[in-house]
Each structure stands twice: as C-alpha cells, then as structure tokens.
Amino acid sequence: MNTKVQTVYMPDLSTKYWQSLFDARVPAGFPSPAADYEEDKLDLNELLIKHPVATFFVRAIGDSMLGAGIHCGDLLIVDRSLEPRDRSVVIAVVNGELTVKRIRIRKKKITLEPENESYHTQEINENMEFEVWGVVTGVIHKL
C-alpha cells in the first residue's frame, strides 16, 4: 500500500510534560534513576516542535516510506514554515489526495519518490493538482 496520510492532528501546546533526562549512555536497558545522572528536564513539545504555530501531526498509513523509517501507523511531525528542499520528506496533496514522499526538485522538474522499491516515482506535471503542505521533521512510532 502506498503511504498516505490517514489523520491530521494539531499539537496541544498548552500542556507541559516534563520528564527527567539522564546523562547516561545506555546501549540497552534503562538508566539508573540515581540523581547523579540526572542532567535536566525534557519537554517533548520543546524538543519536537520548533515552530509551534506552523506545526501539525499526521498519521501515516501504508509502506511506501519504510526506507525513510516511516511505518504504517506512525505519527509524523510536519512543519509548514519550512521550505521543502531537494530530498526533503514532505506531506503533499496530489490530485486531492494527501501523501508522504521524498520530494526531488531538479531544474523545472518535480518528482515524489517512495522509499520502497515496490513503488514507483511520480512525476508532477502542470495538469496535476499539487501542493506541498509541509516538511516532515520527525517520526514517532512504537517499537
């Protein structure tokens, strides 16, 4: 299945959820809760959202972006204030359908490329409805 956007969410910036950030490098396992390792407090809104007014979340469905680390059901963090550059992962509208793909911008040619060899690149032409909604800046998925 081609990776598409299932749901669009706005972030709730009114809440702060501080968690302890430990300065222990742990290859596997959980850091010791000893106070000696506590470095700071971490707010996930602050870490993941650089431009709050321009940020939204989408839930991806499909498997065309597996090579970019985007799995079916993942939440994608999208920033509308960023200008898409060549090779950015973007949320785009193509002929009325939301999709997530890697954009390629070469001279006057734009293509949307999947990150799964089972899918083909889509060339954007002047007869298509096309708009970039934003640049994907992060992925949240459960292990």
Side-chain angles (χ1 to χ4, degrees):
M1 169 186 270
N2 208 4
T3 303
K4 298 180 181 183
V5 173
Q6 179 182 30
T7 313
V8 178
Y9 304 93
M10 294 303 298
D12 178 3
L13 301 173
S14 66
T15 61
K16 297 260 185 217
Y17 185 68
W18 298 99
Q19 281 292 66
S20 295
L21 175 63
F22 293 92
D23 188 22
R25 306 295 180 237
V26 181
F30 188 78
S32 167
D36 293 345
Y37 293 106
E38 190 172 328
E39 179 181 295
D40 205 351
K41 298 288 184 188
L42 176 68
D43 178 6
L44 293 177
N45 283 331
E46 187 178 312
L47 177 70
L48 299 173
I49 301 172
K50 301 302 179 206
H51 304 107
V53 175
T55 299
F56 63 96
F57 299 98
V58 298
R59 187 167 306 278
I61 56 172
D63 61 358
S64 70
M65 293 301 287
L66 289 174
I70 298 172
H71 300 85
C72 189
D74 285 354
L75 275 176
L76 309 180
I77 303 163
V78 184
D79 190 331
R80 287 185 60 91
S81 71
L82 299 177
E83 188 71 30
R85 296 182 292 174
D86 185 45
R87 301 207 44 81
S88 294
V89 175
V90 299
I91 301 299
V93 179
V94 181
N95 295 328
E97 234 179 87
L98 284 171
T99 189
V100 56
K101 294 288 179 286
R102 190 170 300 280
I103 193 168
R104 295 305 312 262
I105 305 167
R106 297 182 205 102
K107 297 183 184 178
K108 295 186 180 193
K109 182 178 172 183
I110 295 176
T111 57
L112 296 177
E113 296 181 352
E115 291 280 337
N116 181 333
E117 292 179 4
S118 299
Y119 298 92
H120 62 275
T121 297
Q122 182 176 25
E123 186 172 336
I124 303 301
N125 64 52
E126 65 277 353
N127 297 324
M128 301 171 95
E129 175 193 348
F130 174 73
E131 179 183 358
V132 173
W133 269 24
V135 175
V136 177
T137 60
V139 179
I140 301 170
H141 69 260
K142 295 180 181 180
L143 298 179

